[in-house]
Amino acid sequence: MMGISILMYHQVGAFPPMREHRATYCDHRRFAAQMRLLKWLDYRVLSMDEVLACLRGEMSAPPRSVALTFDDGYENFYEYAFPVLQRYGFPAMVYLVEEKVGGRADWLAADGHHPAPLMDWPRIRELRAAGIDFGSHGLSHLRLAKQPQDILRQEMSDSRKRLEDGLGEDIRHFCYPYGSHDLASLRAAAEAGYQSAVTCQRGRATAQLDPLALPRKAVSFGDDLFGFFWKLAFKHAPKGSALYRPELDKT
């Protein structure tokens, strides 16, 4: 298979010009144009369940396949991204930081950015009823590489259980905060019961990669439509992604 482009978004909205951390913002007008381009070029937008099925060989990946993921669970997703997704009938995955539901993304303040509001449970349930998928982005938005096992269990297993309690359904997909992961965190993701996990490594997802260390393509604040299309159509999977195969684990 040629691979599936999993696109990574964070906030979608109206923002002032910026020089740093541009990959965590997308102007809503550019977002609308990007989704219109996907529709016009006849891309098949897959859910993360469908991505996983393609990688497992359970279904054939369409020639032009893409998935849409949104980190952190910002409230501006509802105002700006969701209506566009509804217009085109596109599925999307939003990764939630469980302890921060209904709060603010206070980790942004460390970089001099506004700690934007995050969705609360009524909003999350409204979006779920409308077809938006949700996964875990950990308990507290902690960098997971080199963390001790008890912290990894809390961040992965506890967040999954709490999100399942809040949504009343199975949570199968995980996103490593900051993309920070290592073999221990991949092992913890498997033990927590996740079926997929995404990173911030750049490239396409293929069957040769571990489903618990899938690459994505970040859509940046500075990407015009040409830059978006270049990332979508021409950027390939990186080599050397961390792998964890439970059947090979002898420890």
Side-chain angles (χ1 to χ4, degrees):
M1 62 182 293
M2 291 296 295
I4 299 167
S5 292
I6 304 175
L7 302 184
M8 177 175 67
Y9 292 92
H10 287 73
Q11 296 195 61
V12 178
F15 309 106
M18 64 188 73
R19 292 182 178 274
E20 298 178 340
H21 305 286
R22 289 153 66 93
T24 56
Y25 297 86
C26 181
D27 182 87
H28 67 94
R29 291 159 296 191
R30 287 190 168 182
F31 178 78
Q34 291 160 10
M35 298 302 102
R36 186 164 58 247
L37 183 67
L38 292 180
K39 190 71 172 181
W40 184 68
L41 294 178
D42 199 28
Y43 268 78
R44 169 74 182 277
V45 181
L46 305 174
S47 69
M48 285 304 295
D49 281 341
E50 290 175 321
V51 168
L52 196 58
C54 291
L55 298 180
R56 289 172 169 172
E58 297 167 359
M59 65 177 278
S60 297
R64 292 183 294 277
S65 301
V66 66
L68 307 173
T69 65
F70 298 79
D71 292 12
D72 305 330
Y74 293 99
E75 175 64 20
N76 52 32
F77 172 88
Y78 180 79
E79 181 178 357
Y80 291 105
F82 176 56
V84 179
L85 297 172
Q86 274 195 314
R87 183 184 311 154
Y88 297 114
F90 290 164
M93 169 64 71
V94 177
Y95 295 106
L96 300 171
V97 183
E98 198 283 327
E99 280 188 347
K100 303 295 185 179
V101 168
R104 289 182 176 271
D106 49 15
W107 57 87
L108 295 175
D111 297 317
H113 287 238
H114 176 67
L118 303 170
M119 300 178 200
D120 59 17
W121 276 114
R123 178 74 76 215
I124 292 166
R125 294 187 184 105
E126 177 187 356
L127 287 169
R128 184 69 193 103
I132 298 299
D133 294 323
F134 290 94
S136 173
H137 201 25
L139 206 58
S140 63
H141 206 264
L142 179 71
R143 296 180 187 273
L144 297 180
K146 300 182 180 179
Q147 292 290 343
Q149 287 299 312
D150 59 332
I151 298 298
L152 291 175
R153 280 194 296 272
Q154 289 175 6
E155 289 290 329
M156 295 184 168
S157 296
D158 289 4
S159 67
R160 183 184 183 206
K161 183 179 185 306
R162 293 184 190 185
L163 290 174
E164 288 178 340
D165 289 344
L167 284 168
E169 64 182 29
D170 189 25
I171 298 294
R172 297 179 293 277
H173 305 282
F174 188 81
C175 174
Y176 301 101
Y178 306 100
S180 175
H181 67 289
D182 54 14
L183 290 176
S185 56
L186 268 66
R187 182 182 296 113
E191 291 173 351
Y194 294 108
Q195 300 299 302
S196 84
V198 293
T199 71
C200 294
Q201 291 176 302
R202 305 296 189 247
R204 294 183 180 181
T206 69
Q208 289 70 43
L209 295 175
D210 194 301
L212 295 176
L214 295 176
R216 293 186 290 174
K217 300 181 180 182
V219 181
S220 174
F221 181 80
D223 288 338
D224 59 16
L225 207 55
F226 177 81
F228 173 78
F229 179 70
W230 177 80
K231 286 183 178 179
L232 181 67
F234 299 110
K235 200 162 187 178
H236 295 282
K239 297 179 181 179
S241 295
L243 296 176
Y244 170 62
R245 301 293 189 186
E247 66 271 17
L248 301 180
D249 190 354
K250 303 301 183 182
T251 61

